[in-house]
Amino acid sequence: MNETKKIFACMMVTITLASCGPKWTETETNGIRIVKNEGGQTLGYAAASGVTVLTVDQWGFKDLNKNGQLDQYEDWRLSADERAADLASKMSIEQIAGLMLYSRHQSIPGASRGFMASTYNKKPFDESGADASSLSDQQKKFLTDDNLRHVLITAVQSPEVAAQWNNNMQALVEGLGLGIPANTSTDPRHGTIADAEYNAGSGGKISMWPGSLGLAATFSPELVEEFGSIAAMEYRALGIATALSPQVDIATDPRWYRTSGTFGEDPFLSADMGRAYSDGFQTSTGAQEIVDGWGYHSVNAMVKHWPGGGSGEAGRDAHYGVGKYAVYPGNNFESHLIPFTEGAFKLKGKTKMASAIMPYYTISLGQDSKNGENVGNSYNQYIIQDLLRDKYQYDGVVCTDWLITGDETAIDVFITGKPWGVEGLTIAQRHYKILMAGVDQFGGNNDKAPVIEAYAIGVKEHGEAFMRKRFEQSAVRLLKNIFRTGLFENPYLDPEESKRVVGNPDYMKAGYDAQLKSVVMLKNKDKTLPLTKGKKVFVPKKFTPAGRNYLGMETPEKFEYPVNIDIVKKYFEVTENPDDADYALVFVDSPNSGIGYSSEDAKKGGNGYVPISLQYGEYIAKDARDPSLAGGDPLEKFTNRTYKGKKNNAINITDLAMITDTYKKMKGKPVIVSVNMNTPMIFSEFEKDTNAILAHFGVQNQVLLDILTGVTEPSALLPLQMPANMQTVEQQFEDVPHDLECYVDDSGNRYDFAFGLNWKGVIQDERTEKYRQPGLK
């Protein structure tokens, strides 16, 4: 053969190999192999997991169950529905039981002591020598022995540590059984560090945004969708594919301590905000989209809490036995569904519907029109199956709130089981009742045993075929959310890329700008604001008495500046002598009077119930309801939970003295008050002692100073009514929005829903036109 023929023959061989060989290439970095399919999905797997790559039709596919053939669930060309159905059919009952679990809270690394403590090789983290990204003993157990695949994380040391921990976890579960990846979730984690300084062009640990009430105060669904899109990209860079949010309960009782996590009291504003939030989180675009808006930037939105938890009697919350009952004296149950039915279930984006729902702990008193049951929402077949699933055609995941299957140990403790209405059932029977109500998943349960016991109960009642079908139904729902976010293809992260994405300067700026748009100016008498920079200011220090936090852990007494005084000094000259000051800046929190229960009252022979007050000073509940609408608990021997005639005052009553004492010390010079507002409050106690008032919902100190000095004009509106007094609070209906007598200040302004000031006066714009007339849409 001459040289020309040889060259031609070689060319023919090369062409043949190129056209008939695989369309994928593979690289490996730090034990993670990345497979790039030409014109297809990119895969990632751990070299040590035992997974191999199959070549089918020239493309690469992960052989997750290691059987040497391509199963439907391994075929990324098929729909999530097809893949989920195939995988569910292959899973054992033990594997499905594990899939139904949602872990208790996990920090990375785990705490060495106290609540949520973890061990590493049987030692506390600080004595173990383990890397921060190592899996704890407890995590290895529930992932391996209990087949758990849904993990809730809390604090993380850094984005890089979170990314490496994610890789370690995914490598472990990839090598087990059918190779199902873990779906990691979080509660909202984009809140602010109040004393952190913002510097343009600088990054941070994660972008900081206003809380949910602050987002609502912007009255801008567009801004909320932007937040969702940015937060989703940061979540995915941390390995998080499910957000336990948004919280769209309408805060119809102003005393509810979870008001701060809502979008306020208006069902239509909440629907618009919840829709935008879910669209932002769930939607992937461009190269990151797999299909139908889902993809590698998508985060499942678990919307909570069905059917609304904002109407607890007297404002008490259902994390505690004292607040287990939601009541409806205004017959307004349907309004609480609007943020779901008109918001979360009707997304504008391609994903169409929020992928998961969490019911609240509450017993929705008197709302089960089918069976007449008064049990916690996740136990109630009418609330879940008949209403959510059948009437509103919701076929996504339904996950219980945390710890509802555990036993109640105390009526006024946060960390206890919350089996409201089914206290007499065994733990296994509770799991079974939840499954039969139409729920798919158990929040805060790391143990598969009671789920398997529930299966056995169902087999006895309905037969094996029925229960197998019921388990597969939930498995399909749960698996779809893992398939649609691309975790079966590549659950691994590049820690350096995570470091670059999370808290990058552009995201930090977007969050800071949103904070500026979330602050409400309530009062500006004689145009006190904006203030002149460089003037002398007096900032009173704040006294915080010793106490306990919501976990029951002791907190120390403090007397300190309530703001980062170094940041204040960049705007003003700070003096400790009010006589020398041009202005006084007073920073306080809204009144906090506790959970509506006093163990001291109970010890003295009372029923334990006391009023939740929205004022700082002493309040005597002369107008309280008697008898209560609801009551009854195995730990109580009575059902009347009235607190009529009892008194209470705010734990932070000294905040009021900060204002009134400063007013006296300033001798007529301007006093400007900034309130960090977690619930509505009674302004009549101090408003006349102020010249200007800002209300915010969790922002950086610097944001307030930018508004006080006119760097930015205030533009936000109240997402809640401010009551004139506690009498109107007692007389309003827990389930009805916009039914308070609102406070009117000494400038004649009514602190009503959608009220706010800018430099010119009362804001009147397209937002107020749309939302200020509740119910008129």
Side-chain angles (χ1 to χ4, degrees), residues 100 379 404-407 419 422-436 442 445 447-461 467 471:
M100 289 176 167
Y379 292 101
I404 77 163
T405 57
D407 290 326
V422 295
E423 292 89 345
L425 299 181
T426 67
I427 290 177
Q429 288 170 335
R430 292 171 194 160
H431 282 76
Y432 176 66
K433 186 171 179 63
I434 288 167
L435 286 170
M436 292 301 100
F442 306 96
N445 183 2
D447 182 6
K448 69 182 180 184
V451 186
I452 295 172
E453 288 183 64
Y455 180 83
I457 294 172
V459 169
K460 287 183 180 179
E461 289 197 15
M467 283 307 293
F471 264 49

Side-chain angles (χ1 to χ4, degrees), residues 124-147:
F125 175 73
D126 57 10
E127 299 175 10
S128 68
D131 292 334
S133 60
S134 298
L135 299 180
S136 70
D137 298 334
Q138 292 76 19
Q139 290 162 358
K140 291 176 183 176
K141 180 186 182 301
F142 65 58
L143 292 167
T144 303
D145 297 345
D146 291 288
N147 303 313

Side-chain angles (χ1 to χ4, degrees), residues 108-109 132 155-164 205 237-238 498-499 502:
I108 304 170
V156 299
Q157 188 179 95
S158 69
E160 309 96 284
V161 167
Q164 188 56 56
K205 287 190 174 181
L238 294 169
S498 294
K499 180 180 179 180
V502 180

Side-chain angles (χ1 to χ4, degrees), residues 213 254 256-257 259-260 542 587-594 613-616 650-653 655-656 659 673-683 685-686 694-697 720 722:
L213 270 181
W256 189 34
Y257 93 88
T259 294
S260 61
K542 179 184 176 75
F587 298 88
V588 298
D589 295 311
S590 56
N592 171 17
S593 63
S613 177
L614 299 182
Q615 63 187 43
Y616 293 110
I651 298 165
N652 60 330
I653 189 173
D655 283 18
L656 177 61
I659 302 171
V673 173
S674 174
V675 183
N676 182 4
M677 192 174 290
N678 291 302
T679 64
M681 59 187 290
I682 308 297
F683 280 89
E685 290 182 290
F686 65 87
L694 296 182
H696 70 96
F697 309 95
L720 301 156
M722 297 298 120

